[in-house]
Amino acid sequence: MLKYLQMAVGVILTSFYFFPFTFTFLPGVNTKMAMAGVGLVMLGLQLGRARNSIFSKDMVTISLYALMVSFTSFIAVTLNETRDYTYVSYIISMWVWLSAAYVAVKYMRTAHGYISVELVCNYLIAVCVFQCVSALVIDFVPTVKNFALTYIADLGPTEMELMKESGRLFGFGAALDPAGSRFAAVLTIIVFMATRLAATNRNKYLVGYILAFIFIAIVGNMIARTTTVGVIIALAFLLYSIGLHRMVISKSTGRIMLWFVGILVVAVPLLTILYNTNEQFHDNIRFAFEGFFSLAEKGRWEVSSNEILKNMIVFPDNLKTWIVGDGYMLDPTGVDPYYTGPDWGGYYQATDIGYLRFIFYSGLIGLAAMALFIWKAGRISMLKFKDQQMLFWLLLAVNYAVWFKVSTDIFLALVLFLVIDKQENEEYEKRLKLPE
């Protein structure tokens, strides 16, 4: 019983990190920042005892890359004489994420007596399942929904009004595209874990992973359709892993497909019944899979958010902006009292597309710095955990794909692995005797 209680606390703590939110009665400090405050003290003590550790070198390296993002942003803001410091302080944001991640990982190690890539993956999966369950409870139980809207301020006032008016699902800190990108990352983690376990004597856990994948894919899309990015990348990797491109499917990996098909055979009729008998579920399903309904009913793929995204494709019209940007990422009317240009009613140039927002903010130089920072975080993880290299390729793929829609990055997922001790993970892998 105590073990399950410790695990439950670990899920909640990891959720505070992965889906941070602010209580309305404690304004200005979200759950991630509170964890970071504790983590900075713990991290300082750890580095003081192990100055030459691999972890400390990795942290210095990744800090330099984050500093490069801040520096290119500072150049853009200075040259353009703007006041949008969104990414100028990215080095601080990086340290906040890292410190908070350190607390979450340290708790996992204390609760289980060890730490590994697999354990962190399992906690991230559990957190996303928890958030999806929470979103359904909030949507179907008015008392819980009223509590969430009253006491949890994880979104800005504009976004909160959008949630209330549109009826969009949201969890405790999980909402809109940031939640979708994190669900997408975890979906790729699930498939990676499933393909590894399929070839071992622990394949009895496969059904749990596949159930989690399908549940997150469905409910995650009800919360944010950015989740679809993870579904596509994960399934593409799954098809590649089972050898479908070679027309040869091994027994172990074929077992994954059998479980997928078997669970879907049960899930689809159940979803159909709920779709036809419950109005709330009916609306949520139509939102989540709007494209499929449009294809079936109109004969063409049509998604409202995609149509909006098409209107956001706007490119700089001068060389200076292409190189160093205009120094604005947010709507200038909200951050710069001296701005006299048009009110974009959202983001600068009215675009939410990640790549374009980085270009308009700090040019191709800033975009390159941000892309390199994420790449370096993934690369460090690959070098530390060679048996799990493909996992980090998948996470990088999610990040760069999501930027076609929003500017949210998945560094918060990568940094959890950066604070894992390499030797301890290797010892865990040896005990499992997983194949190369």
Side-chain angles (χ1 to χ4, degrees), residues 63-119:
S63 295
L64 290 174
Y65 276 78
L67 194 60
M68 181 170 61
V69 174
S70 292
F71 182 66
T72 55
S73 301
F74 176 75
I75 291 175
V77 170
T78 301
L79 291 180
N80 289 284
E81 298 181 342
T82 68
R83 298 192 175 204
D84 189 337
Y85 300 105
T86 304
Y87 277 83
V88 173
S89 59
Y90 196 77
I91 179 63
I92 298 175
S93 298
M94 181 231 108
W95 270 84
V96 169
W97 282 115
L98 191 146
S99 302
Y102 189 70
V103 173
V105 170
K106 273 295 182 181
Y107 178 84
M108 294 177 201
R109 192 187 188 286
T110 301
H112 294 268
Y114 72 94
I115 192 64
S116 69
V117 170
E118 181 177 299
L119 183 62

Side-chain angles (χ1 to χ4, degrees), residues 16 51 54 62 69 78 120 160 168 196 217 267 269 329 345 360:
F16 282 173
R51 295 181 185 275
I54 294 175
I62 202 66
V69 174
T78 301
V120 171
M160 287 303 291
R168 291 275 293 274
R196 290 195 87 209
M329 177 163 280
F360 278 113

Side-chain angles (χ1 to χ4, degrees), residues 282-298:
H282 173 277
D283 294 342
N284 291 332
I285 283 288
R286 288 195 70 88
F287 172 80
F289 303 103
E290 182 182 357
F292 292 100
F293 283 104
S294 174
L295 190 62
E297 297 169 359
K298 302 178 183 178

Side-chain angles (χ1 to χ4, degrees), residues 122-171:
N122 286 335
Y123 266 96
L124 288 177
I125 295 167
V127 164
C128 287
V129 170
F130 165 74
Q131 286 291 346
C132 289
V133 171
S134 299
L136 291 175
V137 172
I138 289 171
D139 191 52
F140 282 91
V141 182
T143 304
V144 179
K145 186 170 187 176
N146 183 62
F147 171 84
L149 291 174
T150 303
Y151 296 107
I152 295 177
D154 55 311
L155 302 170
T158 302
E159 288 82 358
M160 287 303 291
E161 286 302 317
L162 172 64
M163 302 299 291
K164 292 177 182 178
E165 293 173 6
S166 66
R168 291 275 293 274
L169 261 67
F170 62 94

Side-chain angles (χ1 to χ4, degrees), residues 118 194 197 200-211:
E118 181 177 299
L197 291 179
T200 72
N201 58 5
R202 297 190 302 148
N203 55 62
K204 60 183 178 181
Y205 298 111
L206 275 179
V207 63
Y209 284 111
I210 296 171
L211 281 170

